Amino acid sequence: MFNVILFGPPGSGKGTQSEKLIAKYGLKHLSTGDLLRSEISGQTALGLEAKKFMDKGQLVPDEVVIGMISSAIDHNDKITGFLFDGFPRTAAQAEALDKLLDLKNASIAIMLALDVSEEELVKRLMKRGETSGRSDDTNESVIRARIDEYHAKTTSVADYYHQFDKVKMIKGEGSIDDIFLALCQEIDTRL
Ligand code: AMP
């Protein structure tokens, strides 16, 4: 299995680039944000619990997202690999992911980290909020809380993968195609 993490703050383009990457490399897309939103629309107990955190721009507890990812990995045998999007977001999630993949004799090949300035992120998320139907995209203070949460908790995930020399920073501003090309070049060196 060839497993990739697409990393970056909210609004850095992970969703857009994920779609292009899974089409090109045949990877299975696992987005914890998407999985949580589908739990919310299904009004499951997990979704209702997660919504309380998401509405405030806070991270959902580790055990909830790790449980979701664990079952998604188990339900996707015999695949080329996973593209993790929005996961892991804490060092505890990163360690748990390594253990889950280890059970499948697999590992993370590379973490691609999209780098975008804070003002550009806020601008993009407010714009996305006009059409995405996501309540956490329409309120500037929730958007800033999500970016703060990223800096407070999520950047430690890059430190975790740095120790294994698996992190590649990619400039996440510019045309979608140029960013995609830069991501592909990094993936191709590890394939
Ligand atoms: P996203 O679609 O990736 O921007 O995620 C939307 C929201 O879902 C985040 O602001 C968090 O509240 C929650 N979320 C998504 N992924 C995770 C994760 N790996 N760990 C904790 N919370 C998450």
Side-chain angles (χ1 to χ4, degrees):
M1 273 209 286
F2 184 79
N3 300 301
V4 178
I5 296 172
L6 189 56
F7 188 72
S12 57
K14 297 189 297 293
T16 306
Q17 295 296 338
S18 288
E19 279 177 29
K20 294 172 75 69
L21 290 169
I22 56 170
K24 177 165 164 124
Y25 294 100
L27 300 172
K28 168 76 187 165
H29 185 203
L30 279 187
S31 153
T32 38
D34 287 350
L35 292 172
L36 289 165
R37 280 183 289 278
S38 93
E39 296 281 342
I40 292 175
S41 25
Q43 297 194 322
T44 64
L46 189 157
L48 294 176
E49 181 60 19
K51 188 173 186 307
K52 293 184 207 155
F53 296 92
M54 293 166 77
D55 282 348
K56 288 187 271 188
Q58 295 171 353
L59 293 184
V60 173
D62 284 338
E63 36 318 343
V64 175
V65 278
I66 292 168
M68 274 187 345
I69 286 287
S70 168
S71 98
I73 290 177
D74 279 344
H75 285 97
N76 282 286
D77 260 353
K78 303 189 188 74
I79 54 160
T80 315
F82 291 106
L83 176 69
F84 295 98
D85 161 6
F87 180 91
R89 259 174 157 105
T90 62
Q93 292 179 18
E95 283 169 30
L97 177 59
D98 270 358
K99 289 199 185 111
L100 289 169
L101 290 176
D102 212 33
L103 293 173
K104 311 265 171 201
N105 289 322
S107 62
I108 293 295
I110 189 168
M111 167 192 263
L112 299 163
L114 292 168
D115 187 27
V116 177
S117 74
E118 175 152 350
E119 281 327 296
E120 174 69 15
L121 293 175
V122 175
K123 206 170 78 189
R124 286 187 193 177
L125 289 167
M126 294 295 286
K127 189 157 191 320
R128 185 169 85 183
E130 291 168 12
T131 52
S132 70
R134 282 180 56 171
S135 58
D136 59 350
D137 282 346
T138 45
N139 180 324
E140 186 167 340
S141 65
V142 173
I143 287 175
R144 291 208 184 262
R146 285 160 65 202
I147 296 171
D148 289 349
E149 192 81 326
Y150 174 81
H151 289 303
K153 299 202 180 133
T154 306
T155 43
S156 65
V157 176
D159 296 339
Y160 177 83
Y161 289 102
H162 261 306
Q163 61 178 323
F164 308 113
D165 197 21
K166 289 184 174 175
V167 183
K168 283 287 164 199
M169 293 295 291
I170 306 285
K171 193 166 169 283
E173 295 183 43
S175 83
I176 290 175
D177 285 343
D178 285 348
I179 298 166
F180 180 60
L181 196 67
L183 293 169
C184 293
Q185 278 169 350
E186 290 301 342
I187 290 179
D188 292 345
T189 63
R190 308 256 172 158
L191 268 180

